[in-house]
Amino acid sequence: MNVQIEESWKQQLAHEFEQPYFVRLTDFVRREYAVTTIYPPGRLIFNAFNLCPFDRVKVVIIGQDPYHGPGQAHGLCFSVNDGVKFPPSLVNIFKELQDDLGVPLPLTGNLTRWAEQGVLLLNATLTVRAHQAGSHQRQGWEEFTDAAIRRLAEGRENLVFLLWGAYAQKKGAFIDRSRHLVLASAHPSPLSAYNGFFGNRHFSRANEYLATHGKEPVNW
């Protein structure tokens, strides 16, 4: 199957594209785009991979679902398009970033600038129906994104994985902590941010680890 995805990822995930689950997933997603409003736009489904080639990944942030409101999702977890109001979780991410590193509140919630520095902003599920959170879960996306995380965990060294919330922690449970830095905390959602997300200092800890291993820190 000829999947339109960045070339290094196409090579890494070639085996997945031929699996029965991925063929079923592709058929499902095509039908969904044909009959209803799906986010993100089709050309941005693999945006996280396209902006962050396999060999350039330094940090992985795992989300769950794309945003399901108009104009929000563009293929990067927690990120929204320029000019879109910051969702509550993103507001809390920026608050922690300010407390941790003194970074002023950004003018845009578009995290493309992170992705281009090697931050893979990966949702577990890459598509969603408008206004229906979780509507494309358990269709095959989770298996595909598990495979991508596994390729990174096994094929690269000294990456940083930021696992925010129980869902992300479960998805990243298999990562070898002796080869990578795995930082886990509560989710940045307003429902849980005060239970351990605020004060986790993940951004400075990630940069310290990268610098220690000869990698350029992220300009968050």
Side-chain angles (χ1 to χ4, degrees), residues 32-50:
E32 287 284 281
Y33 274 94
V35 300
T36 190
T37 301
I38 304 297
Y39 299 126
R43 61 186 172 79
L44 296 176
I45 291 174
F46 297 113
N47 199 27
F49 298 98
N50 294 339

Side-chain angles (χ1 to χ4, degrees), residues 24-89:
R24 290 192 299 270
L25 170 64
T26 300
D27 290 342
F28 167 77
V29 170
R30 283 176 177 155
R31 286 196 305 272
E32 287 284 281
Y33 274 94
V35 300
T36 190
T37 301
I38 304 297
Y39 299 126
R43 61 186 172 79
L44 296 176
I45 291 174
F46 297 113
N47 199 27
F49 298 98
N50 294 339
L51 290 172
C52 194
F54 181 83
D55 290 327
R56 291 191 55 217
V57 175
K58 295 188 289 193
V59 178
V60 181
I61 300 178
I62 298 176
Q64 189 164 356
D65 253 13
Y67 295 121
H68 52 83
Q72 292 179 304
H74 64 126
L76 306 177
C77 72
F78 295 108
S79 179
V80 291
N81 281 303
D82 292 326
V84 175
K85 181 182 177 181
F86 298 175
S89 290

Side-chain angles (χ1 to χ4, degrees), residues 106-128:
L107 298 176
T108 176
N110 188 330
L111 303 180
T112 296
R113 61 189 183 278
W114 292 5
E116 290 174 339
Q117 295 180 75
V119 181
L120 182 68
L121 295 159
L122 184 64
N123 276 316
T125 302
L126 299 188
T127 54
V128 69

